[in-house]
Amino acid sequence: MRLVFGYQKTLELLSRGGFASTSNRVQVFQQQEPLCLLSRKLQRKECKGHQLCTQVRGVASMESPSGFAPALPKPVTRPAQLPNPPLAYELVQGALVRWSEQQAGQRPPPTAVMVHGILGSRKNMQAYAHRLVEGFPAWQVLLVDIRCHGESAYLPPPPGPHGVESSAQDILKLLSQLKLFPEVLIGHSFGGKVVMSMGEQFGASGKRLPRPVQVWVLDALPGEVRTGGRETQDHPAALIAHLQQMPMPLPNRTALQNDLLNAGFSLTVARWASTNLRPLNGDHRKLVWALDLNGIADMYESYETANLWGFITSTPEGLRVSFVKAEHSTFRWAGPEQAVISSHGHAVHTLHKSGHWVHADNPDGLFQIMAPYFGAADLHVKKPSSWPARSRSG
């Protein structure tokens, strides 16, 4: 039997991991290359549709009857539509996604949640979220501003204490309101501990997970955080304490950057900190924090001390955990931690040419590490019979 599909249908099926035909049924299989690579080959006329099938397991022949169509539309960023959400959020949706939180009863697409770190915001994760859904356009990514950060700092104050566990609870509450159950959780730094806490709370509920969940922890460890003493340049606790003491408002971002440079912080950190300023009442000559620094100080203390080793040693059924270690990490990965993680069956990948901000320093390398876990099968269509082979190093 020969299947004939247009360009759009070809990409849709490939985004679900490949396809085969048996009678009138479509079955989903593992794709051997990320969709972004396959679709670019098709767009550049490096191969025809039926040749793409040779790179996908168990597929029938196919070809595009109309030649080559324009490139797939770009991802769409949809602002929050929930009334009174617990956190500020947005959805980055692939070109094949047709879903809105306002459409009751509609089955949601496969969803990943991305969680930023201390003194960050969801804007830090936008570029990488777009990268993911460009490669896998049947997916969407939920980006949030965690409590005390970004636009969430201006919502009604959430109950304390401010920490890893309560930040995880905020996101779980938002997911419940959105009626979403994510297939993938991705957390960077503080956000890494947050997604581990989310996984731990999934397990503590005692309910069977409706589908497997992949947890990605980006340059963070389950236990005590060791980044050197507070006299170390750019130590987060020292930075937070310094920012708390600064008089507000400031006339411009340069004033903050100069102050931090004079205090011994790096230019990179000074510029990054200045992105957290906003105009006071619309006056760009008066800048104030777009943060709750007192709450953030509590959150960082929780980050340093939160112990999630129990989640690693007794991971709830249905959860899979992978760590990404930056080659030039500011954290101390040396010691037994990596061996303990691996001994419990969790992957530890090393991302080369990267410092702590892995999604910004080497997004291409990070995508290559993560892509097989998105492309093994579209979890929204069919649960995988097995996970990709576990890698214990990058």
Side-chain angles (χ1 to χ4, degrees):
M1 177 178 178
R2 189 172 186 81
L3 302 180
V4 179
F5 294 107
Y7 178 80
Q8 188 82 4
K9 187 64 175 178
T10 299
L11 292 182
E12 180 179 358
L13 291 169
L14 284 172
S15 74
R16 294 178 177 175
F19 65 94
S21 174
T22 56
S23 301
N24 295 320
R25 295 177 297 165
V26 172
Q27 296 180 336
V28 181
F29 292 88
Q30 180 172 353
Q31 119 191 7
Q32 296 178 340
E33 284 193 71
L35 174 65
C36 60
L37 301 181
L38 298 178
S39 61
R40 285 172 188 166
K41 287 182 179 180
L42 185 60
Q43 292 162 21
R44 293 197 300 259
K45 303 186 180 181
E46 292 179 9
C47 59
K48 295 182 179 180
H50 69 277
Q51 291 174 312
L52 287 179
C53 292
T54 65
Q55 302 180 63
V56 184
R57 298 179 186 174
V59 299
S61 62
M62 102 184 136
E63 59 185 20
S64 172
S66 57
F68 298 93
L72 203 64
K74 292 184 179 298
V76 174
T77 300
R78 300 194 183 279
Q81 297 181 16
L82 274 183
N84 305 315
L87 296 172
Y89 73 93
E90 63 191 43
L91 286 163
V92 179
Q93 296 181 327
L96 302 177
V97 175
R98 302 290 183 269
W99 183 85
S100 167
E101 57 263 54
Q102 293 183 329
Q103 295 174 309
Q106 184 184 20
R107 190 176 185 182
T111 300
V113 178
M114 293 188 69
V115 187
H116 64 82
I118 290 289
L119 293 175
S121 73
R122 69 181 192 270
K123 292 180 181 179
N124 303 146
M125 317 298 283
Q126 284 175 338
Y128 190 70
H130 276 256
R131 179 65 185 275
L132 283 175
V133 299
E134 284 173 355
F136 300 99
W139 284 68
Q140 67 180 6
V141 178
L142 174 67
L143 300 177
V144 300
D145 287 336
I146 58 176
R147 61 169 58 202
C148 303
H149 291 72
E151 294 177 10
S152 292
Y154 299 94
L155 296 177
H162 299 304
V164 169
E165 183 177 357
S166 57
S167 297
Q169 290 170 353
D170 294 340
I171 301 173
L172 292 173
K173 182 178 179 181
L174 175 62
L175 288 168
S176 177
Q177 291 185 13
L178 290 169
K179 296 180 173 57
L180 289 174
F181 189 91
E183 282 82 356
V184 177
L185 304 176
I186 306 168
H188 173 246
S189 194
F190 177 89
K193 279 197 169 180
V194 171
V195 296
M196 283 189 277
S197 180
M198 291 174 67
E200 187 174 59
Q201 292 179 50
F202 282 160
S205 69
K207 298 179 181 178
R208 183 179 178 84
L209 300 182
R211 63 181 66 89
V213 176
Q214 171 69 42
V215 179
W216 285 96
V217 182
L218 307 183
D219 209 38
L221 285 165
E224 181 183 0
V225 175
R226 294 172 295 173
T227 58
R230 295 203 176 196
E231 70 282 355
T232 305
Q233 186 186 40
D234 297 339
H235 192 286
L239 175 62
I240 293 167
H242 186 88
L243 298 181
Q244 285 179 294
Q245 297 171 2
M246 292 197 65
M248 291 281 130
L250 294 172
N252 50 54
R253 299 180 193 279
T254 303
L256 172 61
Q257 294 174 13
N258 290 337
D259 182 272
L260 290 174
L261 290 172
N262 291 334
F265 295 95
S266 69
L267 179 59
T268 299
V269 164
R271 287 174 173 168
W272 170 57
S274 69
T275 64
N276 287 303
L277 294 171
R278 67 173 183 87
L280 176 63
N281 299 324
D283 188 346
H284 289 268
R285 298 167 299 178
K286 296 180 179 180
L287 301 180
V288 294
W289 294 117
L291 301 164
D292 174 0
L293 284 171
N294 292 332
I296 288 173
D298 294 338
M299 293 171 75
Y300 186 76
E301 183 178 356
S302 168
Y303 172 57
E304 286 193 315
T305 59
N307 187 333
L308 289 156
W309 279 110
F311 170 68
I312 297 303
T313 58
S314 300
T315 305
E317 183 179 357
L319 287 170
R320 171 84 179 267
V321 188
S322 296
F323 290 78
V324 175
K325 167 187 174 182
E327 181 181 19
H328 305 295
S329 176
T330 56
F331 293 94
R332 296 181 182 177
W333 278 81
E337 288 94 341
Q338 184 169 335
V340 173
I341 291 170
S342 298
S343 71
H344 288 278
H346 307 299
V348 179
H349 305 267
T350 298
L351 180 62
H352 299 286
K353 300 180 181 179
S354 175
H356 180 56
W357 285 277
V358 292
H359 51 287
D361 291 350
N362 188 359
D364 292 345
L366 184 61
F367 181 87
Q368 290 300 323
I369 289 172
M370 298 177 72
Y373 295 81
F374 282 78
D378 185 334
L379 302 179
H380 177 57
V381 177
K382 175 187 174 186
K383 295 181 181 180
S385 58
S386 63
W387 292 94
R390 296 192 176 191
S391 170
R392 297 197 174 188
S393 67

